[in-house]
């Protein structure tokens, strides 16, 4: 009785990977091939095989890349994290800066007046200051600093 050198778990992972690439190719095949007949002609000319199931993992990967498959890369992950930072809430330091400058420069120092000011700057009226996003808080801080500078200039005249 001849035993296989390949471990059963490795065989299973290989089969899963092949199924994944075949699924990707079928999803993306219309990006590159006009129809299934063109795909089969390409497979026969390139690899001498007429079916995706007969290709090796490396060959399937090459066809998937040809069709437009983009494997996850570290660069894309970093871009996604940068995009998510915009949705992270404002820091305590930002909120303290906003209230501190507001109390220095505002004529009406009420919470409602501050929310009205925030609405004019970022076009949202937060129920609580802590619900501001980091980018929005930065915009409000810049506007408050500009307001503080104008008040300084007006007092000097």
């Amino acid at each position: 009785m001849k035993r296989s050198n390949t471990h059963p778990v490795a065989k299973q992972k290989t089969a899963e990977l092949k199924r994944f690439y075949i699924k990707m190719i079928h999803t993306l095949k219309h990006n590159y091939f006009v129809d299934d007949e063109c795909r089969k002609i390409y497979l026969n000319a390139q690899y001498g095989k007429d079916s995706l199931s007969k290709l090796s993992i490396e060959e399937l990967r090459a066809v998937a890349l040809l069709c437009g498959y983009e494997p996850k890369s570290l660069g894309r992950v970093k871009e996604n994290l940068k995009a998510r930072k915009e949705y992270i809430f404002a820091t305590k330091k930002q909120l303290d800066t906003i209230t501190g400058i507001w109390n220095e420069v505002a004529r009406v120092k009420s919470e409602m007046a501050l929310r009205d000011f925030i609405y004019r700057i970022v076009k949202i009226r937060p129920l609580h200051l802590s619900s501001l996003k980091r980018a929005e808080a930065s915009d409000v801080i810049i506007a408050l600093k500009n307001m503080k500078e104008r008040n300084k200039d007006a007092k000097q005249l």
Side-chain angles (χ1 to χ4, degrees):
M1 180 180 216
K2 187 178 178 183
R3 290 191 128 189
S4 173
N5 291 341
T6 311
H7 194 273
V9 174
K11 274 187 174 181
Q12 183 181 2
K13 293 216 181 247
T14 303
E16 286 177 21
L17 190 57
K18 281 184 87 166
R19 279 193 301 272
F20 172 78
Y21 279 131
I22 290 170
K23 185 177 174 183
M24 280 295 119
I25 292 167
H26 281 294
T27 303
L28 300 169
K29 65 185 174 185
H30 297 292
N31 291 344
Y32 190 78
F33 301 110
V34 177
D35 58 6
D36 286 335
E37 193 60 34
C38 289
R39 180 177 49 85
K40 288 178 183 177
I41 291 170
Y42 172 80
L43 292 177
N44 199 8
Q46 189 72 22
Y47 304 107
K49 299 172 184 171
D50 61 348
S51 171
L52 290 172
S53 59
K54 294 178 183 176
L55 295 178
S56 69
I57 290 177
E58 292 78 25
E59 293 167 338
L60 285 169
R61 181 175 171 79
V63 174
L65 290 170
L66 179 73
C67 291
Y69 171 69
E70 294 179 16
K72 287 185 179 177
S73 67
L74 188 58
R76 286 180 69 191
V77 171
K78 285 183 180 178
E79 287 173 17
N80 290 340
L81 290 176
K82 285 180 186 177
R84 288 182 190 169
K85 277 189 178 180
E86 294 177 9
Y87 299 107
I88 297 175
F89 292 111
T91 63
K92 173 128 175 65
K93 185 176 179 179
Q94 283 179 313
L95 298 176
D96 291 342
T97 303
I98 289 171
T99 53
I101 297 175
W102 177 254
N103 288 329
E104 284 180 37
V105 298
R107 291 184 199 135
V108 179
K109 296 179 184 348
S110 71
E111 291 291 318
M112 209 49 214
L114 175 57
R115 281 164 180 66
D116 288 340
F117 177 77
I118 292 171
Y119 178 76
R120 286 195 311 267
I121 302 303
V122 295
K123 304 298 181 226
I124 61 158
R125 186 172 280 119
L127 184 59
H128 302 284
L129 282 181
S130 59
S131 65
L132 278 176
K133 307 289 187 266
R134 282 188 185 175
E136 296 165 347
S138 293
D139 293 342
V140 171
I141 290 170
I142 290 169
L144 284 168
K145 285 181 178 179
N146 289 341
M147 196 169 145
K148 187 176 178 179
E149 286 298 316
R150 277 182 292 206
N151 282 349
K152 248 189 222 179
D153 293 342
K155 287 181 182 178
Q156 289 177 356
L157 293 178

